[in-house]
Amino acid sequence: MKAPRPIVSATEMKKRVAVFKKLKSSPMPLIDAVMPQYNRDIFNIIGRGVTEDASMEVAINDARDFHVAIIRCETGKGTGLHTHETLEVFMPLTGNWSVQWGDDGKSELSIGPWDFISIPTKIMRGFRNDSPGEAYMLSILGGTDPGRVTWCDPVMRAAERAGYMLDADGNITHKGAAPSASRSGAAGVKKAAARAKPAAGKTAAQAKTGSGRAAAQAKPAAKKAAAGGRSATQDLAVKRAASKKPAATAAARRTTQHTAKSGR
């Protein structure tokens, strides 16, 4: 006797639909996005894949045997070299893309709309949008658990210089952020990093203000020291010159008045 087939309601089936215009990406879906040339959008369709922003939404959570995402890139942008533990497949939806592979990424080929490429496991790979404008590409990762990304050294060095790192769970965090920041996602991590910058700037400003105050205080002292360096004779000459100025001014005023009266 055959086992009865499952019955799926319309409500349940709607939960398994990903409406693209409702999908949200992340400002930093993977840590290589610290480098401008690797800024891109990744929309998680089925499963989280290997994205490193813990806050990213997933349209369909039932990811068994594979994960699906859509990648959107501006012209000239793509991803840094990295490896995966499972097979990865790319299919451009629009535009022309180049795919690089190998430790130095010097091996390269081009693919266009509806072309497929399957990347073997454990080799470095990357891609770039070579179209004149924005383009989209479908990405499929094999495995129920596709594991974590292994990045090439230049990407991790750039991330470290920018103050970013991956926590024990493989999520992006900032060196100055609280342990909970990575759980709030890339936006939370960026906010923590942004908060750290004004604090550093405030400290520098305080130091600058302190230096300015010290300099202002030093000016009267310098004047006083300079005055103290004059001899008694020099001081007397200065005082006399100062006292003569009002007298000379008054004399000049009287002369002018007298001349005016004589000319009447």
Side-chain angles (χ1 to χ4, degrees), residues 95-121:
N96 295 305
W97 299 71
S98 62
V99 177
Q100 305 84 35
W101 71 93
D103 288 350
D104 53 11
K106 290 184 178 179
S107 297
E108 182 173 311
L109 56 77
S110 297
I111 53 176
W114 311 108
D115 295 336
F116 265 86
I117 183 170
S118 175
I119 312 293
T121 61

Side-chain angles (χ1 to χ4, degrees), residues 175-196:
K175 290 180 180 180
S180 60
S182 60
R183 291 193 294 272
S184 65
V189 170
K190 284 196 169 186
K191 284 180 181 178
R195 284 195 297 268

